Amino acid sequence: MIKTLIRGTGRYVPERLVTNDDLSKKMETSDEWIRQRTGIEQRYWVPEGGETGASDLGLEASKIALERAGWKPEDLDFIIFATLSPDIFFPGSGCLLQHKLGLSSTPALDIRQQCTGFIYGLATADAYIRSGMARRVLLVGSEVHSTGLDVTTRGRDVAVIFGDGAAAVCLEAVETDEPVGVLASLLFAEGKHAASLMLEAPASRITPERITHEMLDEGRHYPKMNGKLIFKLAVTRLPELTLQIMEKAGLTSLDEIDLIIPHQANLRINQFYQETLKIPEGKIYNNIQKYGNTTAATIPLALDEVIEQGRFKKGDTALFLGLGAGVTWGANIYRHAEVLPSR
Ligand code: UT7
């Protein structure tokens, strides 16, 4: 059977460190409020001035992942780029990254699944690989949030949460009957909650010109969030989702999972989740304290860190899961392994 294995990972965050105290100089907020309500201590944002898009951060992460996989860009036969903050409205950041990697015809697919972007991306890559449509896939999650945040008191509930960053994984088809690689994926969406976390404008549905001066004045080009609703959905659905995907993967106990990487939207969400399922300390990995919420980059960024720290070894089983705008939610179970490529 064809299975999907991770061959290399890489991460990249921009150099500009923004602390909670830095934000409190721009809006009415405080280090205490941000830490208590979210767990976030700092985040990295792209430099002011210049042009750094999601594909630029993605490029740096991709170069590291490719090097660790021992691949050249030419070895790729598919690119999947997950972002809610594309460099430009169109074409997709995957196409921009493809060019920056020096490639000329490798297909590139953008996906717009926000906080579950990596989870949807891994499920998509796995489906392409298992169907024989691709053998070597580069999956990138990358976000430049900072240029789209309302960094005033009006936008403080959203602005303090998000950080910029990127991470990439190299995925390869292997032929094996061992239970390794992507063991299961489960994806959900509920569009009725779309307005609960959305960036409304500019948008094609707004006539005559996608955005008006009044909308700009009202700040409708910034993301708006019903934080309480998203919080509630996350703390109820993530435990349910865990049991659902374990069943799908044929796992009967949480003891069979060595590592859980939940999306990093709010440390309190992950603490509720941990308490609900009575997950032992040390099995969940959180890094929101350092990066804030980097949306599609979050899970691969954490994955790259745990691999680097030796906390996710060959033979270990990991659960990736999250919920975010859409709303979308989903999970993957992945067993790390060393299996030789089948070509
Ligand atoms: O990854 C995408 C998915 N997103 C999420 O999962 C986010 C889920 N939601 C959350 O993480 C939380 O709802 C937030 C962190 C966004 C907000 O925390 P909260 O505990 O739900 O606070 P709140 O919105 O109920 O606001 C409480 C108070 C309000 O003031 P009043 O009305 O009580 O006077 C807010 O105006 O805190 C105020 N507030 C702030 N104060 C200082 C809101 N943002 C800030 C801020 N600094 N940054």
Side-chain angles (χ1 to χ4, degrees):
M1 276 172 77
I2 301 176
K3 303 280 171 60
T4 303
L5 282 193
I6 295 173
R7 293 300 194 191
T9 59
R11 67 178 187 276
Y12 180 79
V13 292
E15 280 174 17
R16 183 159 66 113
L17 175 66
V18 179
T19 64
N20 295 342
D21 285 334
D22 292 333
L23 293 181
S24 68
K25 292 180 191 121
K26 296 175 188 284
M27 62 183 88
E28 284 173 35
T29 190
S30 65
D31 179 51
E32 193 193 0
W33 191 97
I34 301 170
R35 279 178 197 251
Q36 271 182 8
R37 302 281 181 136
T38 70
I40 298 167
E41 296 166 17
Q42 58 172 55
R43 73 287 292 141
Y44 295 88
W45 284 359
V46 295
E48 283 175 302
E51 286 187 11
T52 309
S55 69
D56 298 301
L57 301 187
L59 175 65
E60 298 308 321
S62 300
K63 283 189 208 161
I64 299 167
L66 285 165
E67 196 193 323
R68 289 188 180 151
W71 296 357
K72 294 189 285 300
E74 298 71 36
D75 294 327
L76 297 171
D77 48 28
F78 205 71
I79 295 170
I80 301 179
F81 200 107
T83 187
L84 68 65
S85 51
D87 301 58
I88 48 178
F89 206 95
F90 76 88
S93 294
C95 291
L96 306 186
L97 174 67
Q98 186 247 37
H99 176 62
K100 287 172 186 170
L101 284 169
L103 298 170
S104 53
S105 61
T106 311
L109 173 74
D110 269 40
I111 58 169
R112 301 278 303 272
Q113 264 54 42
Q114 299 68 247
C115 298
T116 50
F118 179 79
I119 290 161
Y120 267 72
L122 186 55
T124 305
D126 182 45
Y128 269 81
I129 285 174
R130 282 187 296 108
S131 70
M133 290 265 293
R135 299 197 67 81
R136 285 185 164 181
V137 179
L138 176 69
L139 169 59
V140 181
S142 181
E143 304 289 356
V144 176
H145 285 300
S146 56
T147 51
L149 297 173
D150 182 0
V151 191
T152 69
T153 300
R154 179 178 67 179
R156 64 183 178 174
D157 59 325
V158 174
V160 300
I161 293 175
F162 290 100
D164 301 340
V169 297
C170 293
L171 300 161
E172 186 168 38
V174 296
E175 190 73 46
T176 176
D177 290 329
E178 295 295 311
V180 295
V182 179
L183 301 187
S185 294
L186 211 45
L187 307 176
F188 297 98
E190 192 177 19
K192 84 170 184 197
H193 294 302
S196 302
L197 179 46
M198 76 168 174
L199 201 161
E200 203 192 337
S204 55
R205 66 184 180 183
I206 298 164
T207 53
E209 290 188 326
R210 300 196 169 181
I211 192 158
T212 62
H213 290 287
E214 291 73 27
M215 292 180 90
L216 280 169
D217 292 342
E218 290 162 16
R220 288 164 67 185
H221 57 302
Y222 294 123
K224 293 283 176 306
M225 175 168 70
N226 178 346
K228 283 205 182 308
L229 176 73
I230 303 289
F231 194 105
K232 212 171 111 193
L233 291 173
V235 295
T236 50
R237 290 189 182 170
L238 296 180
E240 290 167 11
L241 174 65
T242 302
L243 303 180
Q244 288 169 315
I245 191 154
M246 280 172 55
E247 191 182 342
K248 188 170 180 193
L251 306 184
T252 50
S253 157
L254 274 170
D255 293 342
E256 294 173 79
I257 296 175
D258 301 288
L259 174 74
I260 299 177
I261 301 182
H263 176 57
Q264 306 286 305
N266 186 321
L267 193 59
R268 283 166 53 226
I269 292 178
N270 295 351
Q271 288 163 345
F272 268 103
Y273 166 74
Q274 183 172 359
E275 282 160 24
T276 307
L277 290 181
K278 307 206 178 346
I279 297 165
E281 203 59 53
K283 193 173 275 203
I284 293 200
Y285 187 73
N286 289 307
N287 62 7
I288 189 170
Q289 301 91 330
K290 279 194 291 182
Y291 301 113
N293 179 352
T294 57
T295 308
T298 296
I299 289 175
L301 206 154
L303 176 63
D304 185 55
E305 286 192 334
V306 290
I307 291 175
E308 200 171 82
Q309 294 165 13
R311 286 180 63 174
F312 187 47
K313 298 180 287 299
K314 301 281 154 69
D316 284 353
T317 303
L319 166 65
F320 311 135
L321 78 169
L323 178 141
V327 292
T328 56
W329 66 108
N332 322 100
I333 291 186
Y334 177 80
R335 186 165 295 149
H336 215 18
E338 191 74 80
V339 181
L340 291 175
S342 49
R343 71 170 170 190

